[in-house]
């Protein structure tokens, strides 16, 4: 069901309807032009290299329109595909917008893929031109896989993107129902699955996500540390920024020390990340507090509990003042809001950030939904929930069991029209009455908050016929520094009865030090992990208990949003 909201951050668009755009929603280029008209001198794209280099909105638009003219001069027309792959940088976002300003369709590609995997995506999408950074420029400069032109996202290598321009042209622009982007989901072997997202999908989602309510200000500074080709960063950081006149600062390394340095230097106010990022930052804070001794740590923990209670009950946030010294040391003083997405977050971590005075929320979505479809309201958050559906999202639970758990299905303007050139897969993704089947299992409470229990394909059926959701168990391990990665899966107990036991695959933290400040021996680490498993088992329901453990010698492969690739794990 949909939730009524009184605040509508998109209502200002009415002033531009009929002047800048027609229809319900502007296209992404129309949205960008509206933002430029509102905040022409506001900083837009920033990188520290090592000094601050910034483009404001007017400067960015000038570059974007020049590159769009060049694309048009090379034969790119409305609906043509152009790919972009590279590390997070202003050049990446300028390329993305220029493709759209030329009427084209963007194909963002994970720069961490191998060349042959990238080749496959270029072929599948029928991309004609590629924007690429220095790591892959030499390979693609030879124009493999039918590319017509290759442009560099880095200065000093080949033809540099900012040097492009073309003659004045009457460029046919896309309309809101046209494709804006094709995003390839994780797993690029075999036949790649390209999610088609329209201008309406992306623009509606970026504004409706703010109606939860999540107030984004034009004075905000976003931090792009996760790969920007991924739907989460692309929408919730990049497109969210340019919808409001905010600034986005591009991070270079997913290294905690570098992230903390960037947060302080850039005075970040909006920090969006995945559970692994927030786990590591919080683990560092707790380590520092414990170093003050058990009495000091106990007192601070007690005060944090009081702060969290006041915030929850009275809607007042005393934590920022109470724990300013902690936030300053963690480079979080300037941060106004933290948003976690891309995977499940342990409720205990959610709670601790809020106790420290950070407005911390988590959201939910998937590439096929642009991606945001639910966000926890800052003023009425629930730690164990991923939030309420965004405005105009029609959400239901399909075939709920006795706990109310079933597959989450959705309708709304942010839901994709389908997979690129895959009509059968598209048909299979929707119910007969047009709801997208997310593949996620969960339930909703009487206040319309959504609770996720796991992925349908990961569900374990125990000997007693109970359904166990691995993600619920994995969440219990997020604050143990001894464990770098954990994956819970089923293993066959009885092939005839199709029942499963529960196994934990554990990769220990290679940087963990014991009480003596030394790297533990293999036996010592195994003993500690066994103790942690036993401790967690005591908190779990009898049918959820782990009864088999494998300690791994090397890390499990992860996606770019730091989720373990379950299907690729072998022991």
């Amino acid at each position: 069901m949909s939730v009524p909201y009184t605040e509508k951050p998109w209502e200002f668009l009415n002033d531009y309807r009929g002047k800048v755009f027609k229809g319900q929603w502007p296209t992404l280029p129309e949205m960008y032009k509206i933002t430029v008209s509102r905040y022409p001198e506001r900083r837009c794209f920033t990188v520290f290299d090592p000094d601050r280099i910034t483009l404001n909105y007017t400067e960015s638009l000038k570059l974007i329109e020049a590159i769009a003219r060049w694309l048009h001069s090379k034969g790119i027309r409305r609906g043509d595909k152009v790919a972009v792959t590279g590390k997070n940088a202003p050049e990446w976002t300028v390329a993305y917008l220029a493709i759209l300003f030329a009427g084209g369709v963007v194909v963002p590609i994970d720069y961490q893929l191998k060349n042959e995997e990238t080749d496959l995506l270029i072929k599948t999408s029928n991309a004609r031109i590629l924007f690429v950074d220095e790591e892959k420029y030499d390979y693609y400069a030879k124009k493999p896989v039918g590319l017509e032109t290759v442009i560099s996202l880095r200065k000093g290598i080949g033809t540099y993107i900012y040097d492009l321009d073309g003659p004045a042209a009457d460029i046919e622009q896309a309309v809101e129902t046209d494709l804006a982007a094709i995003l390839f989901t994780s797993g690029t072997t075999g036949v790649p699955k390209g999610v088609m997202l329209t201008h309406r999908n992306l623009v509606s989602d970026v504004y409706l996500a703010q109606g939860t309510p999540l107030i984004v200000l034009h004075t905000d500074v976003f931090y792009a540390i996760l790969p920007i080709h991924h739907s989460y960063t692309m929408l919730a950081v990049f497109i969210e920024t340019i919808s409001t006149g905010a600034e986005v600062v591009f991070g270079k390394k997913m290294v905690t020390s570098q992230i903390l340095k960037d947060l302080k230097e850039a005075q970040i106010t909006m920090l969006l990340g995945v559970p692994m990022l927030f786990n590591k930052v919080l683990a560092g804070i707790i380590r520092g507090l414990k170093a003050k001794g058990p009495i000091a740590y106990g007192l601070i923990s007690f005060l944090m509990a009081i702060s969290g209670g006041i915030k929850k009950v009275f809607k007042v946030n005393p934590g920022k003042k109470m724990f300013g010294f902690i936030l300053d040391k963690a480079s979080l003083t300037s941060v106004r809001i933290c948003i976690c997405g891309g995977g499940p977050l342990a409720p205990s971590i959610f709670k601790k950030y809020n106790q420290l005075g950070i407005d911390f929320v988590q959201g939910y979505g998937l590439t096929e939904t642009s991606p945001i479809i639910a966000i926890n309201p800052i003023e009425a958050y629930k730690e164990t929930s991923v939030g309420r559906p965004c405005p105009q999202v029609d959400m239901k639970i399909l075939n709920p069991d006795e706990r109310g758990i079933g597959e989450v299905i959705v309708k709304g303007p942010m839901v994709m029209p389908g997979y690129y050139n895959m009509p059968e897969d598209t048909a299979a993704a929707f119910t007969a009455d047009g709801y997208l089947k997310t593949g996620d299992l969960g339930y909703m409470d009487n206040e319309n908050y959504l609770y996720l229990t796991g992925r349908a394909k990961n569900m374990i059926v125990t000997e007693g016929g109970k359904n166990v959701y691995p993600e619920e168990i994995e969440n219990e391990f997020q604050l143990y520094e001894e464990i770098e990665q954990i994956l819970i899966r089923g293993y066959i107990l009885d092939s005839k009865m199709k029942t499963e036991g529960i196994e934990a695959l554990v990769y220990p933290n290679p940087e963990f030090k014991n009480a003596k400040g030394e790297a533990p021996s293999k036996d010592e680490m195994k003993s500690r992990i066994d103790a942690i498993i036993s401790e967690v088992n005591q908190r779990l329901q009898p049918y959820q208990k782990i009864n088999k453990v494998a300690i791994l010698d090397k890390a499990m492969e992860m996606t770019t949003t730091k989720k373990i690739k379950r299907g690729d794990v072998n022991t």
Side-chain angles (χ1 to χ4, degrees), residues 267-340:
Q267 290 292 289
I268 301 297
T269 66
M270 300 288 287
L271 178 58
L272 284 79
V274 292
M276 177 182 279
L277 170 64
F278 291 116
N279 290 349
K280 287 191 172 183
V281 172
L282 185 62
I285 292 173
I286 291 173
R287 197 184 312 119
L289 294 177
K290 285 183 175 178
K292 295 178 182 293
I295 295 174
Y297 178 65
L299 177 60
I300 291 171
S301 297
F302 175 69
L303 292 173
M304 282 172 61
I306 291 173
S307 167
I310 292 171
K311 191 171 189 281
K312 189 95 172 172
V313 176
F314 299 103
K315 317 299 182 190
V316 176
N317 184 3
K320 276 256 179 180
K321 288 186 178 178
M322 290 172 67
F323 306 112
F325 68 101
I326 297 173
L327 298 177
D328 183 56
K329 197 164 185 180
S331 302
L332 295 173
T333 307
S334 64
V335 174
R336 196 169 67 82
I337 299 173
C338 287
I339 301 177
C340 185

Side-chain angles (χ1 to χ4, degrees), residues 55-101:
L55 292 170
N56 68 26
Y57 275 89
T58 300
E59 292 165 340
S60 301
L61 180 61
K62 187 177 178 182
L63 282 169
I64 289 161
E65 291 181 328
I67 299 162
R69 290 193 297 269
W70 178 85
L71 286 166
H72 187 269
S73 74
K74 294 296 177 183
I76 295 300
R77 297 293 183 267
R78 179 180 168 191
D80 285 344
K81 319 298 187 302
V82 179
V84 56
T85 185
K87 295 185 287 292
N88 291 7
E91 288 88 344
W92 194 102
T93 51
V94 167
Y96 184 103
L97 289 167
I99 295 163
L100 297 175
F101 269 71

Side-chain angles (χ1 to χ4, degrees), residues 345-416:
L345 181 78
S348 57
I349 292 172
F350 191 168
K351 180 182 286 188
K352 278 184 167 60
Y353 274 102
N354 276 296
Q355 288 175 343
L356 286 166
I358 296 286
D359 282 334
F360 191 100
V361 298
Q362 60 178 327
Y364 164 65
L366 50 160
T367 303
E368 289 86 344
T369 59
S370 301
I372 307 170
I373 47 176
I375 296 183
N376 240 311
I378 288 173
E379 298 301 322
Y381 62 87
K382 296 186 180 185
E383 288 97 348
T384 52
S385 169
V386 294
R388 295 187 302 192
C390 296
Q392 298 183 27
V393 171
D394 183 3
M395 182 179 290
K396 294 180 179 180
I397 303 299
L398 186 65
N399 301 324
D401 63 13
E402 69 278 359
R403 285 176 59 190
I405 296 171
E407 185 174 6
V408 180
I409 59 173
V410 293
K411 273 185 184 179
M414 66 291 295
V415 174
M416 68 165 187

Side-chain angles (χ1 to χ4, degrees), residues 400-406 442-444 452-453 466-469 472 541 543-544:
D401 63 13
E402 69 278 359
R403 285 176 59 190
I405 296 171
Y443 62 94
M444 300 180 80
L452 295 180
T453 54
K466 291 282 190 179
N467 294 339
V468 174
Y469 308 101
E472 286 186 322
Q541 296 296 323
Y543 61 87
Q544 292 178 311

Side-chain angles (χ1 to χ4, degrees), residues 110-113 186 225-231 233 254 274 558-563 565:
D110 183 353
Y111 79 92
Q112 293 181 353
L113 294 178
S186 300
I225 185 60
L226 299 171
I228 202 166
H229 76 274
H230 190 275
S231 61
T233 311
M254 190 76 168
V274 292
M558 304 185 85
T559 68
T560 48
T561 51
K562 306 302 175 186
K563 287 187 285 191
K565 292 184 177 180

Side-chain angles (χ1 to χ4, degrees), residues 75-274:
I76 295 300
R77 297 293 183 267
R78 179 180 168 191
D80 285 344
K81 319 298 187 302
V82 179
V84 56
T85 185
K87 295 185 287 292
N88 291 7
E91 288 88 344
W92 194 102
T93 51
V94 167
Y96 184 103
L97 289 167
I99 295 163
L100 297 175
F101 269 71
V105 176
V106 186
V107 183
I109 298 176
D110 183 353
Y111 79 92
Q112 293 181 353
L113 294 178
K114 296 172 185 172
N115 287 344
E116 55 267 30
E117 294 173 319
T118 302
D119 291 348
L120 181 58
L121 301 189
I122 290 170
K123 277 184 188 175
T124 303
S125 64
N126 303 308
R128 294 170 48 192
I129 292 175
L130 174 68
F131 291 91
V132 64
D133 68 12
E134 75 272 16
E135 291 179 358
K136 297 186 178 184
Y137 181 81
D138 288 343
Y139 175 81
Y140 284 103
K142 296 169 187 172
K143 298 179 184 175
V145 292
L147 286 168
E148 297 170 12
T149 311
V150 176
I151 301 299
S152 175
L153 295 173
R154 289 289 181 273
K155 199 167 188 176
I157 300 173
T159 304
Y160 180 50
I161 179 174
Y162 286 175
D163 294 332
L164 301 177
D165 201 349
D170 184 16
I171 298 174
E172 183 185 8
Q173 294 294 314
V175 298
E176 67 173 299
T177 52
D178 282 353
L179 276 191
I182 299 173
L183 276 64
F184 288 94
T185 55
S186 300
T188 54
T189 54
V191 180
K193 189 178 282 187
V195 175
M196 298 188 294
L197 297 176
T198 66
H199 288 268
R200 176 186 289 168
N201 290 154
L202 294 167
V203 174
S204 67
D205 199 42
V206 84
Y207 286 116
L208 294 171
Q210 296 174 46
T212 44
L214 175 68
I215 308 303
V216 181
L217 309 172
H218 77 276
T219 51
D220 274 321
V221 182
F222 284 76
Y223 187 45
I225 185 60
L226 299 171
I228 202 166
H229 76 274
H230 190 275
S231 61
Y232 176 37
T233 311
M234 191 179 80
L235 190 289
V237 177
F238 163 42
I239 298 177
E240 194 76 67
T241 292
I242 63 173
S243 75
T244 56
E247 176 187 10
V248 60
V249 173
F250 298 91
K252 290 183 176 179
K253 296 177 183 175
M254 190 76 168
V255 177
T256 307
S257 58
Q258 181 65 48
I259 290 169
L260 298 182
K261 185 172 179 285
D262 288 346
L263 293 179
K264 188 162 279 189
E265 280 191 28
Q267 290 292 289
I268 301 297
T269 66
M270 300 288 287
L271 178 58
L272 284 79
V274 292

